[in-house]
Amino acid sequence: MLWVLLFTAIAVGGLVMVICYAVWLAHKVSDLYSEVAVLAHQAADLAELAAQVGAPQQRQGVVPVPNLANGARQFKTDVDVG
């Protein structure tokens, strides 16, 4: 009769552990979904900001080339590009 009580206690303990794990996992999934929602909101904000920023107009035939001497930018035309 003792072994029946022992196995019942082990089974109940295992059931409690499975329930605790399921609750912990549900909390983690909830945290994950909230983080994904925040990420989606930030991506939407970023897309909105990117849509507001226009690409600069580049003059035809002008290529910006960095001037390493003074940190300024100098421009070369198609004729000068070599």
Side-chain angles (χ1 to χ4, degrees):
M1 183 66 178
L2 182 61
W3 64 271
V4 173
L5 293 176
L6 180 66
F7 279 107
T8 302
I10 291 171
V12 169
L15 183 62
V16 168
M17 290 300 295
V18 167
I19 291 171
C20 288
Y21 179 71
V23 169
W24 174 80
L25 190 60
H27 282 111
K28 290 294 180 181
V29 168
S30 173
D31 291 343
L32 179 65
Y33 282 148
S34 68
E35 290 296 326
V36 168
V38 168
L39 182 64
H41 179 69
Q42 289 178 347
D45 288 346
L46 180 63
E48 180 181 336
L49 289 173
Q52 292 175 3
V53 175
Q57 295 287 345
Q58 189 168 2
R59 295 184 308 202
Q60 186 68 22
V62 176
V63 179
V65 177
N67 183 355
L68 301 177
N70 61 8
R73 295 176 75 82
Q74 64 183 1
F75 295 92
K76 293 185 175 183
T77 62
D78 286 338
V79 181
D80 296 329
V81 175

Coordinates of all heavy atoms in Angstrom, one line a residue:
M1 N 0.8 -1.2 0.0 CA 0.0 0.0 0.0 C 0.9 1.3 0.0 O 0.5 2.3 -0.5 CB -0.9 -0.1 1.2 CG -1.9 1.1 1.3 SD -3.0 1.0 -0.1 CE -4.0 2.4 0.3
L2 N 2.0 1.2 0.6 CA 2.9 2.3 0.6 C 3.4 2.7 -0.7 O 3.5 3.9 -1.0 CB 4.1 2.0 1.5 CG 5.1 3.1 1.7 CD1 4.5 4.3 2.4 CD2 6.3 2.6 2.5
W3 N 3.6 1.8 -1.6 CA 4.1 2.1 -3.0 C 3.1 2.9 -3.8 O 3.4 3.7 -4.6 CB 4.6 0.8 -3.7 CG 3.5 -0.2 -3.9 CD1 3.1 -1.2 -3.1 CD2 2.7 -0.2 -5.1 NE1 2.1 -1.9 -3.7 CE2 1.8 -1.3 -4.9 CE3 2.6 0.5 -6.3 CZ2 0.8 -1.7 -5.8 CZ3 1.6 0.1 -7.2 CH2 0.7 -1.0 -7.0
V4 N 1.7 2.6 -3.5 CA 0.7 3.3 -4.2 C 0.7 4.8 -3.8 O 0.6 5.7 -4.6 CB -0.7 2.7 -3.9 CG1 -1.8 3.5 -4.4 CG2 -0.8 1.3 -4.4
L5 N 0.9 5.1 -2.5 CA 1.0 6.5 -2.0 C 2.2 7.1 -2.6 O 2.2 8.3 -3.0 CB 1.0 6.5 -0.5 CG -0.3 6.1 0.2 CD1 -0.1 6.0 1.7 CD2 -1.5 6.9 -0.2
L6 N 3.3 6.4 -2.7 CA 4.5 7.0 -3.2 C 4.4 7.4 -4.7 O 4.8 8.5 -5.1 CB 5.7 6.0 -3.0 CG 7.1 6.4 -3.5 CD1 7.6 7.6 -2.6 CD2 8.0 5.3 -3.5
F7 N 3.9 6.5 -5.4 CA 3.7 6.8 -6.9 C 2.6 7.8 -7.1 O 2.8 8.7 -8.0 CB 3.3 5.5 -7.6 CG 4.5 4.6 -8.0 CD1 4.7 3.4 -7.3 CD2 5.4 5.0 -9.0 CE1 5.8 2.7 -7.6 CE2 6.5 4.3 -9.3 CZ 6.7 3.1 -8.6
T8 N 1.6 7.9 -6.3 CA 0.6 9.0 -6.4 C 1.2 10.3 -6.0 O 1.0 11.3 -6.7 CB -0.6 8.7 -5.4 OG1 -1.1 7.4 -5.7 CG2 -1.6 9.7 -5.5
A9 N 2.1 10.4 -5.0 CA 2.8 11.6 -4.7 C 3.7 12.0 -5.8 O 3.8 13.2 -6.1 CB 3.5 11.4 -3.4
I10 N 4.4 11.1 -6.4 CA 5.3 11.4 -7.5 C 4.5 11.9 -8.7 O 4.9 12.9 -9.3 CB 6.1 10.2 -7.9 CG1 7.2 9.9 -6.8 CG2 6.9 10.4 -9.2 CD1 7.9 8.6 -7.0
A11 N 3.4 11.3 -9.0 CA 2.5 11.7 -10.1 C 1.9 13.1 -9.8 O 1.9 14.0 -10.7 CB 1.4 10.7 -10.3
V12 N 1.5 13.4 -8.6 CA 0.9 14.7 -8.3 C 2.0 15.8 -8.4 O 1.8 16.9 -8.9 CB 0.3 14.7 -6.9 CG1 -0.1 16.1 -6.4 CG2 -1.0 13.8 -6.9
G13 N 3.2 15.4 -7.9 CA 4.3 16.4 -8.0 C 4.7 16.7 -9.4 O 5.0 17.8 -9.8
G14 N 4.7 15.7 -10.3 CA 5.0 15.9 -11.7 C 3.9 16.7 -12.3 O 4.2 17.6 -13.2
L15 N 2.6 16.5 -12.0 CA 1.5 17.3 -12.5 C 1.7 18.8 -12.1 O 1.5 19.7 -12.9 CB 0.2 16.7 -12.0 CG -1.1 17.4 -12.6 CD1 -1.1 17.3 -14.1 CD2 -2.3 16.8 -11.9
V16 N 2.1 19.0 -10.8 CA 2.3 20.4 -10.4 C 3.4 21.0 -11.2 O 3.3 22.2 -11.6 CB 2.5 20.4 -8.9 CG1 3.1 21.7 -8.4 CG2 1.3 20.0 -8.1
M17 N 4.5 20.3 -11.4 CA 5.6 20.8 -12.2 C 5.2 21.2 -13.6 O 5.6 22.2 -14.1 CB 6.8 19.8 -12.2 CG 7.4 19.7 -10.8 SD 8.1 21.2 -10.2 CE 9.4 21.5 -11.4
V18 N 4.4 20.3 -14.2 CA 3.9 20.6 -15.6 C 3.1 21.8 -15.6 O 3.2 22.7 -16.5 CB 3.2 19.4 -16.2 CG1 2.4 19.7 -17.4 CG2 4.2 18.2 -16.4
I19 N 2.2 22.0 -14.6 CA 1.3 23.2 -14.6 C 2.2 24.4 -14.3 O 1.9 25.5 -15.0 CB 0.2 23.0 -13.5 CG1 -0.7 21.9 -13.9 CG2 -0.5 24.3 -13.2 CD1 -1.7 21.5 -12.8
C20 N 3.1 24.4 -13.4 CA 4.0 25.5 -13.2 C 4.8 25.9 -14.5 O 4.9 27.0 -14.8 CB 5.0 25.2 -12.1 SG 4.2 25.2 -10.4
Y21 N 5.3 24.9 -15.2 CA 6.0 25.1 -16.4 C 5.1 25.8 -17.5 O 5.5 26.7 -18.2 CB 6.6 23.8 -17.0 CG 7.3 24.0 -18.3 CD1 8.6 24.7 -18.3 CD2 6.8 23.5 -19.5 CE1 9.3 24.9 -19.5 CE2 7.5 23.7 -20.6 CZ 8.7 24.4 -20.6 OH 9.4 24.6 -21.8
A22 N 3.8 25.3 -17.6 CA 2.9 25.9 -18.5 C 2.6 27.3 -18.2 O 2.5 28.2 -19.1 CB 1.6 25.1 -18.5
V23 N 2.4 27.7 -16.9 CA 2.2 29.1 -16.5 C 3.4 29.9 -16.8 O 3.3 31.0 -17.4 CB 1.8 29.1 -15.0 CG1 1.8 30.6 -14.5 CG2 0.5 28.5 -14.8
W24 N 4.6 29.4 -16.5 CA 5.8 30.2 -16.8 C 6.0 30.4 -18.3 O 6.3 31.5 -18.8 CB 7.0 29.4 -16.3 CG 8.4 30.0 -16.7 CD1 9.0 31.0 -16.1 CD2 9.2 29.5 -17.7 NE1 10.2 31.3 -16.7 CE2 10.3 30.4 -17.7 CE3 9.1 28.5 -18.7 CZ2 11.4 30.2 -18.6 CZ3 10.1 28.4 -19.6 CH2 11.2 29.2 -19.6
L25 N 5.7 29.4 -19.1 CA 5.8 29.5 -20.6 C 4.8 30.4 -21.1 O 5.1 31.2 -22.0 CB 5.6 28.1 -21.2 CG 5.9 28.0 -22.7 CD1 7.4 28.3 -23.0 CD2 5.6 26.5 -23.2
A26 N 3.6 30.5 -20.6 CA 2.5 31.4 -21.0 C 3.0 32.9 -20.7 O 2.8 33.7 -21.6 CB 1.2 31.1 -20.3
H27 N 3.6 33.1 -19.6 CA 4.1 34.4 -19.3 C 5.3 34.8 -20.3 O 5.3 36.0 -20.7 CB 4.7 34.5 -17.9 CG 3.6 34.6 -16.9 ND1 3.3 33.6 -16.0 CD2 2.7 35.6 -16.6 CE1 2.3 34.0 -15.2 NE2 1.9 35.2 -15.6
K28 N 6.1 33.9 -20.6 CA 7.2 34.2 -21.6 C 6.6 34.5 -23.0 O 7.1 35.4 -23.6 CB 8.2 33.0 -21.6 CG 9.0 32.8 -20.4 CD 9.9 34.0 -20.2 CE 10.8 33.9 -19.0 NZ 11.7 35.0 -18.8
V29 N 5.7 33.7 -23.4 CA 5.0 34.0 -24.7 C 4.4 35.3 -24.7 O 4.4 36.1 -25.7 CB 4.0 32.8 -25.0 CG1 3.2 33.2 -26.2 CG2 4.8 31.6 -25.3
S30 N 3.7 35.7 -23.6 CA 3.1 37.0 -23.5 C 4.1 38.1 -23.6 O 3.9 39.1 -24.3 CB 2.3 37.1 -22.2 OG 1.8 38.4 -22.0
D31 N 5.2 38.0 -22.9 CA 6.3 38.9 -23.0 C 6.9 39.0 -24.4 O 7.1 40.1 -24.9 CB 7.5 38.6 -22.1 CG 7.1 38.7 -20.6 OD1 6.1 39.4 -20.3 OD2 7.8 38.1 -19.7
L32 N 7.0 37.9 -25.1 CA 7.5 37.9 -26.5 C 6.5 38.6 -27.4 O 7.0 39.4 -28.2 CB 7.7 36.5 -26.9 CG 8.2 36.3 -28.4 CD1 9.6 36.9 -28.5 CD2 8.2 34.8 -28.8
Y33 N 5.2 38.4 -27.3 CA 4.3 39.0 -28.1 C 4.3 40.6 -27.9 O 4.1 41.3 -28.8 CB 2.9 38.5 -27.9 CG 2.6 37.2 -28.6 CD1 1.7 36.2 -28.0 CD2 3.2 36.8 -29.8 CE1 1.5 35.0 -28.6 CE2 3.0 35.6 -30.4 CZ 2.1 34.7 -29.8 OH 1.9 33.5 -30.4
S34 N 4.4 41.0 -26.6 CA 4.5 42.4 -26.4 C 5.7 43.0 -27.0 O 5.7 44.2 -27.5 CB 4.4 42.7 -24.9 OG 5.6 42.3 -24.2
E35 N 6.8 42.4 -26.9 CA 8.1 42.9 -27.6 C 7.9 42.9 -29.1 O 8.4 43.9 -29.7 CB 9.3 42.0 -27.2 CG 9.7 42.2 -25.7 CD 10.2 43.5 -25.4 OE1 10.8 44.2 -26.2 OE2 9.9 44.0 -24.2
V36 N 7.3 42.0 -29.7 CA 7.1 42.0 -31.1 C 6.1 43.1 -31.5 O 6.3 43.8 -32.5 CB 6.5 40.6 -31.6 CG1 6.0 40.7 -33.0 CG2 7.6 39.5 -31.5
A37 N 5.1 43.4 -30.7 CA 4.2 44.5 -30.9 C 5.0 45.8 -30.8 O 4.8 46.7 -31.7 CB 3.1 44.5 -29.9
V38 N 5.9 46.0 -29.9 CA 6.7 47.2 -29.8 C 7.6 47.3 -31.0 O 7.8 48.4 -31.6 CB 7.5 47.2 -28.5 CG1 8.6 48.3 -28.5 CG2 6.6 47.4 -27.3
L39 N 8.2 46.2 -31.4 CA 9.1 46.2 -32.6 C 8.3 46.6 -33.8 O 8.8 47.4 -34.7 CB 9.7 44.9 -32.8 CG 10.7 44.7 -33.9 CD1 11.9 45.6 -33.7 CD2 11.1 43.3 -34.1
A40 N 7.1 46.1 -34.0 CA 6.3 46.5 -35.1 C 5.9 47.9 -35.1 O 5.9 48.6 -36.2 CB 5.0 45.6 -35.2
H41 N 5.6 48.5 -33.9 CA 5.3 49.9 -33.8 C 6.5 50.8 -34.2 O 6.4 51.8 -34.9 CB 4.8 50.2 -32.4 CG 4.5 51.6 -32.1 ND1 3.4 52.2 -32.7 CD2 5.1 52.6 -31.4 CE1 3.3 53.5 -32.4 NE2 4.4 53.7 -31.6
Q42 N 7.7 50.4 -33.7 CA 8.9 51.1 -34.0 C 9.2 51.0 -35.5 O 9.7 52.0 -36.1 CB 10.0 50.6 -33.2 CG 9.9 51.0 -31.7 CD 11.1 50.5 -30.9 OE1 11.8 49.6 -31.3 NE2 11.2 51.0 -29.7
A43 N 9.0 49.9 -36.1 CA 9.2 49.7 -37.6 C 8.2 50.6 -38.3 O 8.6 51.2 -39.4 CB 9.0 48.3 -38.0
A44 N 7.0 50.7 -37.9 CA 6.0 51.6 -38.5 C 6.5 53.1 -38.4 O 6.4 53.8 -39.4 CB 4.6 51.4 -38.0
D45 N 7.0 53.4 -37.2 CA 7.5 54.8 -37.0 C 8.7 55.1 -37.9 O 8.8 56.1 -38.5 CB 7.9 55.0 -35.6 CG 6.7 55.1 -34.6 OD1 5.5 55.3 -35.2 OD2 6.9 55.0 -33.4
L46 N 9.6 54.1 -38.0 CA 10.7 54.3 -38.9 C 10.3 54.4 -40.3 O 10.9 55.2 -41.1 CB 11.7 53.1 -38.7 CG 13.0 53.1 -39.5 CD1 13.8 54.3 -39.1 CD2 13.7 51.8 -39.3
A47 N 9.4 53.6 -40.8 CA 8.9 53.7 -42.2 C 8.3 55.1 -42.4 O 8.4 55.6 -43.5 CB 7.9 52.6 -42.4
E48 N 7.5 55.6 -41.4 CA 6.9 56.9 -41.6 C 8.0 58.0 -41.7 O 7.9 58.9 -42.5 CB 6.0 57.2 -40.4 CG 5.3 58.5 -40.5 CD 4.4 58.8 -39.3 OE1 4.0 57.8 -38.7 OE2 4.2 59.9 -39.0
L49 N 9.0 57.9 -40.9 CA 10.1 58.9 -40.9 C 10.9 58.8 -42.2 O 11.3 59.8 -42.8 CB 11.0 58.7 -39.7 CG 10.5 59.1 -38.4 CD1 11.4 58.7 -37.3 CD2 10.2 60.6 -38.4
A50 N 11.1 57.5 -42.7 CA 11.8 57.3 -43.9 C 11.0 57.9 -45.1 O 11.6 58.4 -46.1 CB 12.1 55.9 -44.1
A51 N 9.7 57.8 -45.0 CA 8.9 58.3 -46.1 C 8.9 59.9 -46.1 O 8.8 60.5 -47.2 CB 7.4 57.9 -46.0
Q52 N 9.1 60.5 -45.0 CA 9.2 61.9 -44.9 C 10.5 62.5 -45.5 O 10.6 63.6 -45.9 CB 9.0 62.4 -43.5 CG 7.6 62.2 -42.9 CD 7.5 62.5 -41.5 OE1 8.4 63.0 -40.9 NE2 6.3 62.3 -40.9
V53 N 11.5 61.7 -45.4 CA 12.8 62.1 -45.8 C 13.0 61.8 -47.3 O 12.8 60.7 -47.8 CB 14.0 61.4 -45.1 CG1 15.3 61.8 -45.6 CG2 13.9 61.7 -43.6
G54 N 13.2 62.9 -48.1 CA 13.3 62.7 -49.5 C 14.8 62.5 -49.9 O 15.7 62.9 -49.2
A55 N 15.0 61.7 -50.9 CA 16.4 61.5 -51.4 C 16.9 62.8 -52.0 O 16.1 63.5 -52.7 CB 16.4 60.4 -52.4
P56 N 18.1 63.2 -51.7 CA 18.6 64.5 -52.3 C 18.7 64.4 -53.8 O 19.1 63.4 -54.4 CB 20.0 64.6 -51.6 CG 20.4 63.3 -51.2 CD 19.1 62.5 -50.9
Q57 N 18.5 65.5 -54.5 CA 18.6 65.6 -55.9 C 20.1 65.6 -56.3 O 20.8 66.5 -55.7 CB 17.9 66.8 -56.4 CG 16.4 66.8 -56.2 CD 15.7 65.8 -57.2 OE1 16.3 65.3 -58.1 NE2 14.5 65.4 -56.9
Q58 N 20.5 64.7 -57.1 CA 21.9 64.8 -57.5 C 22.0 65.4 -58.9 O 21.2 65.0 -59.8 CB 22.5 63.4 -57.6 CG 24.0 63.3 -57.8 CD 24.6 62.0 -57.5 OE1 23.8 61.0 -57.2 NE2 25.9 61.8 -57.6
R59 N 22.9 66.3 -59.0 CA 23.1 67.0 -60.3 C 23.6 66.0 -61.4 O 24.4 65.1 -61.1 CB 24.1 68.1 -60.2 CG 23.5 69.2 -59.3 CD 24.5 70.4 -59.2 NE 25.8 69.9 -58.9 CZ 26.8 70.7 -58.4 NH1 26.5 72.0 -58.2 NH2 28.0 70.3 -58.2
Q60 N 23.1 66.1 -62.6 CA 23.5 65.2 -63.6 C 25.0 65.3 -63.9 O 25.5 66.4 -64.2 CB 22.7 65.5 -64.9 CG 22.9 64.5 -66.0 CD 22.3 63.1 -65.7 OE1 21.5 63.0 -64.8 NE2 22.9 62.1 -66.3
G61 N 25.7 64.2 -63.9 CA 27.1 64.2 -64.3 C 28.0 64.6 -63.2 O 29.2 64.8 -63.4
V62 N 27.6 64.8 -62.0 CA 28.5 65.2 -60.9 C 28.5 64.0 -59.9 O 27.5 63.5 -59.4 CB 27.9 66.4 -60.2 CG1 28.8 66.8 -59.0 CG2 27.9 67.6 -61.2
V63 N 29.7 63.6 -59.5 CA 30.0 62.5 -58.6 C 30.7 63.1 -57.4 O 31.8 63.6 -57.5 CB 30.8 61.4 -59.2 CG1 31.1 60.3 -58.3 CG2 30.2 60.9 -60.5
P64 N 30.1 63.0 -56.2 CA 30.8 63.5 -55.0 C 32.0 62.5 -54.6 O 31.8 61.3 -54.6 CB 29.7 63.4 -53.9 CG 28.7 62.5 -54.3 CD 28.8 62.5 -55.8
V65 N 33.1 63.1 -54.4 CA 34.3 62.4 -54.1 C 34.9 62.9 -52.8 O 35.1 64.2 -52.7 CB 35.4 62.5 -55.2 CG1 36.6 61.7 -54.8 CG2 34.8 61.9 -56.5
P66 N 35.2 62.1 -51.8 CA 35.7 62.7 -50.5 C 37.1 63.3 -50.7 O 37.9 62.7 -51.4 CB 35.7 61.5 -49.6 CG 35.7 60.3 -50.4 CD 35.0 60.7 -51.7
N67 N 37.3 64.4 -50.1 CA 38.6 65.0 -50.2 C 39.3 64.7 -48.8 O 38.9 65.2 -47.8 CB 38.5 66.5 -50.3 CG 39.9 67.2 -50.4 OD1 40.9 66.6 -50.3 ND2 39.9 68.5 -50.7
L68 N 40.3 63.8 -48.8 CA 40.8 63.3 -47.6 C 41.8 64.4 -46.9 O 42.1 64.2 -45.8 CB 41.6 62.0 -47.8 CG 40.7 60.9 -48.4 CD1 41.6 59.7 -48.6 CD2 39.6 60.6 -47.4
A69 N 42.1 65.4 -47.6 CA 43.1 66.4 -47.1 C 42.4 67.2 -46.0 O 43.0 67.4 -44.9 CB 43.6 67.3 -48.2
N70 N 41.3 67.8 -46.3 CA 40.7 68.7 -45.3 C 39.3 68.2 -44.8 O 38.6 68.9 -44.1 CB 40.6 70.1 -45.8 CG 39.7 70.2 -47.1 OD1 39.1 69.2 -47.5 ND2 39.7 71.3 -47.7
G71 N 38.9 67.1 -45.2 CA 37.6 66.5 -44.7 C 36.4 67.0 -45.5 O 35.3 66.6 -45.3
A72 N 36.6 68.0 -46.4 CA 35.5 68.6 -47.2 C 35.2 67.7 -48.4 O 36.0 66.8 -48.7 CB 35.8 70.0 -47.6
R73 N 34.1 67.9 -49.1 CA 33.8 67.1 -50.3 C 34.1 68.0 -51.5 O 33.7 69.2 -51.5 CB 32.4 66.7 -50.2 CG 32.1 65.7 -49.1 CD 30.7 65.3 -49.1 NE 30.2 64.4 -50.1 CZ 30.4 63.1 -50.1 NH1 31.0 62.5 -49.0 NH2 30.0 62.3 -51.0
Q74 N 34.7 67.4 -52.5 CA 34.9 68.1 -53.7 C 34.1 67.3 -54.8 O 33.9 66.2 -54.6 CB 36.4 68.2 -54.1 CG 37.0 66.9 -54.3 CD 38.5 67.0 -54.6 OE1 39.0 68.1 -54.6 NE2 39.2 65.9 -54.9
F75 N 33.8 68.0 -55.9 CA 33.0 67.4 -56.9 C 33.7 67.3 -58.2 O 34.5 68.2 -58.6 CB 31.7 68.2 -57.1 CG 30.8 68.2 -55.9 CD1 30.9 69.2 -54.9 CD2 29.9 67.2 -55.7 CE1 30.0 69.1 -53.8 CE2 29.1 67.1 -54.6 CZ 29.1 68.1 -53.7
K76 N 33.5 66.2 -58.9 CA 34.2 66.0 -60.2 C 33.1 65.8 -61.2 O 32.1 65.1 -60.9 CB 35.1 64.8 -60.2 CG 36.3 65.0 -59.3 CD 37.2 63.8 -59.4 CE 38.5 64.0 -58.7 NZ 39.5 62.9 -58.9
T77 N 33.2 66.3 -62.4 CA 32.2 66.1 -63.4 C 32.6 64.8 -64.2 O 33.6 64.2 -63.9 CB 32.2 67.3 -64.4 OG1 33.5 67.4 -65.0 CG2 31.8 68.5 -63.6
D78 N 31.7 64.4 -65.1 CA 32.0 63.2 -65.9 C 33.3 63.3 -66.6 O 34.0 62.3 -66.9 CB 30.9 63.0 -66.9 CG 29.6 62.5 -66.3 OD1 29.7 61.9 -65.2 OD2 28.5 62.6 -66.9
V79 N 33.7 64.5 -67.0 CA 35.0 64.7 -67.8 C 36.2 64.4 -66.8 O 37.1 63.8 -67.3 CB 35.0 66.1 -68.3 CG1 36.3 66.3 -69.1 CG2 33.8 66.4 -69.2
D80 N 36.0 64.8 -65.6 CA 37.1 64.6 -64.7 C 37.2 63.2 -64.1 O 38.3 62.8 -63.5 CB 37.0 65.6 -63.5 CG 37.1 67.0 -63.9 OD1 37.8 67.3 -64.9 OD2 36.5 67.8 -63.3
V81 N 36.2 62.4 -64.1 CA 36.2 61.1 -63.5 C 37.1 60.2 -64.4 O 36.9 60.1 -65.6 CB 34.7 60.5 -63.4 CG1 34.8 59.1 -62.9 CG2 33.9 61.4 -62.6
G82 N 38.0 59.5 -63.7 CA 38.9 58.7 -64.5 C 39.2 57.4 -63.9 O 39.3 56.8 -63.1

